[in-house]
Amino acid sequence: MTDANGQEGRQPVEGFLEAFRGARKALLLPHDNPDPDGLAGAVALRHILAANGVDARVAFGGMIGRAENRAMVRTLALDLTPLSTLDVGEFDAVALIDAQPGTGNNPVMADAAIRAVIDHHPLLATLDNVRFVDVRPEYGATATIVTEYARDAGVELPTDIATALFYAIRSETQDLGREASPADREAYVELLMKADMGAVARIQRARVPREYFGTYLTAIREARVHGHVVLTDLGVVSSADQVAEIADFLLRLREVTWSACVGRRLHTLAVSLRTTDPFAHAGYAIRRAIEGLGTAGGHGTMAGGQVPVTDENAEEIAAEVKRRLLTELGAEPGEGDPIARD
Ligand SMILES: [Mn+2]
């Protein structure tokens, strides 16, 4: 392993801690509308930093929308701060967790202020100004990287953090079945022995409001099959997470290899793309599809993007995004076939 400074023969966690040496106020940021992987990774890194005498805050932009993710924060009493209540300029050391500068899914567009980037999404740009970069696209979860840090640094993980990391790997890799590496498997087993499985069950089976079922109703009613692609439009959503969840849900349709979902929250159109093809590049496909309209990033089989819209142009832009997605994926244009009929 070679760390960000090109130093061989030392553990990545040493480079991470080195990057934070002398920091007075450290801020750990997952991507906006954070998922369990970003949240667990950030919270565990805070614990590792604290064990090394560095105080850090975990903040997030957007909202935590998905019922399971809210249950995770509540059940494990994760200490998180909404970014809107902070002045990022006050922090002299910022790390991005499960995110990178310039992808549009985090508030940091330039790399100058960042000390560390820890992520498993393919690197979009060289981060010359970042002191420590640990990006491992071959890993299924950022939580795995952080679990290794704790192991290598000899930092004991308390039950709540171990449970968060365990749930993160489980949800991010769909129980090690999606884009998981041997390292993910090893971390999963290690964390399994420490995690509170009762808490995991409460998170995974989180109770949901009626609106949740309405979202599925809309998703199914609006879904159209265009050859090997199923595409749906949720209209206005209450969180961007719903768009990702529905894209995962629709990918179970047997006859397709791609699923796509769009939904609008306030002045952002969220776009999610999924594929069953392990050799596909969903991240590149979505970036090409929304080029010039918005920003996007992702892994091989899952990707997401966001496009700014106004009340006036939202429908027109959603239509354009859907058209471009179908073209990009080589799907049949036109109306498509409804997936279900009354
Ligand atoms: Mn992740």
Side-chain angles (χ1 to χ4, degrees), residues 93-339:
V94 177
L96 282 179
I97 321 299
D98 199 36
Q100 297 172 25
T103 53
N105 71 352
N106 63 75
V108 186
M109 296 306 286
D111 60 4
I114 309 181
R115 290 214 191 180
V117 171
I118 294 145
D119 194 10
H120 67 126
H121 301 92
L123 201 56
L124 287 184
T126 51
L127 303 173
D128 293 333
N129 297 319
V130 181
R131 286 195 202 178
F132 177 76
V133 179
D134 189 353
V135 173
R136 308 186 199 179
E138 69 279 16
Y139 276 35
T142 296
T144 298
I145 302 175
V146 178
T147 302
E148 291 183 1
Y149 283 11
R151 191 194 301 149
D152 293 340
V155 174
E156 190 66 35
L157 294 171
T159 303
D160 55 348
I161 295 177
T163 305
L165 289 166
F166 176 78
Y167 180 68
I169 298 173
R170 164 173 265 193
S171 61
E172 184 93 356
T173 66
Q174 293 183 340
D175 275 303
L176 301 176
R178 178 173 71 182
E179 299 195 358
S181 68
D184 296 301
R185 191 179 285 251
E186 201 177 318
Y188 183 98
V189 171
E190 179 183 332
L191 295 164
L192 174 64
M193 302 311 289
K194 297 178 186 166
D196 174 348
M197 296 307 285
V200 171
R202 287 196 295 283
I203 294 166
Q204 215 158 10
R205 310 287 304 166
R207 318 261 332 222
V208 293
R210 284 187 182 196
E211 177 208 71
Y212 178 85
F213 300 96
T215 302
Y216 275 79
L217 188 63
T218 305
I220 293 168
R221 197 185 56 224
E222 298 300 320
R224 298 290 181 273
V225 180
H226 300 261
H228 63 292
V229 179
V230 60
L231 171 65
T232 197
D233 185 343
L234 298 178
V236 174
V237 293
S238 57
S239 87
D241 285 358
Q242 292 173 334
V243 177
E245 178 170 349
I246 293 299
D248 281 332
F249 170 65
L250 289 176
L251 192 60
R252 294 188 61 186
L253 179 62
R254 186 186 285 152
E255 67 213 66
V256 303
T257 50
W258 289 88
S259 66
C261 181
V262 302
R264 173 187 163 211
R265 179 170 181 270
L266 305 176
H267 289 135
T268 302
L269 182 77
V271 186
S272 279
L273 186 62
R274 300 286 186 273
T275 178
T276 56
D277 178 358
F279 304 109
H281 292 287
Y284 298 116
I286 197 168
R287 280 214 303 284
R288 277 193 301 266
I290 67 174
E291 199 173 4
L293 295 174
T295 48
H299 320 239
T301 64
M302 30 185 327
Q306 45 280 317
V307 177
V309 295
T310 64
D311 293 339
E312 289 71 37
N313 70 12
E315 272 184 39
E316 190 188 321
I317 288 193
E320 172 72 5
V321 166
K322 288 186 280 184
R323 202 159 41 232
R324 282 164 67 164
L325 275 170
L326 290 174
T327 306
E328 180 60 38
L329 299 174
E332 297 162 15
E335 293 293 295
D337 268 341
I339 56 167

Side-chain angles (χ1 to χ4, degrees), residues 5-143:
N5 302 320
Q7 280 183 261
E8 281 181 60
R10 71 171 186 177
Q11 305 285 8
V13 68
E14 294 175 57
F16 171 72
L17 292 170
E18 174 78 37
F20 278 84
R21 194 148 300 155
R24 283 173 295 107
K25 283 185 95 175
L27 181 64
L28 305 177
L29 280 177
H31 52 76
D32 293 345
N33 307 313
D35 62 5
D37 196 29
L39 290 172
V43 167
L45 285 173
R46 176 176 60 197
H47 180 73
I48 294 168
L49 282 170
N52 285 274
V54 178
D55 262 336
R57 186 88 73 100
V58 175
F60 65 95
M63 63 184 292
I64 300 169
R66 196 165 175 143
E68 293 92 321
N69 303 357
R70 296 171 83 94
M72 173 175 132
V73 174
R74 198 172 53 240
T75 305
L76 304 176
L78 303 185
D79 182 12
L80 312 169
T81 310
L83 193 59
S84 55
T85 65
L86 297 177
D87 175 5
V88 180
E90 277 184 23
F91 293 86
D92 61 344
V94 177
L96 282 179
I97 321 299
D98 199 36
Q100 297 172 25
T103 53
N105 71 352
N106 63 75
V108 186
M109 296 306 286
D111 60 4
I114 309 181
R115 290 214 191 180
V117 171
I118 294 145
D119 194 10
H120 67 126
H121 301 92
L123 201 56
L124 287 184
T126 51
L127 303 173
D128 293 333
N129 297 319
V130 181
R131 286 195 202 178
F132 177 76
V133 179
D134 189 353
V135 173
R136 308 186 199 179
E138 69 279 16
Y139 276 35
T142 296

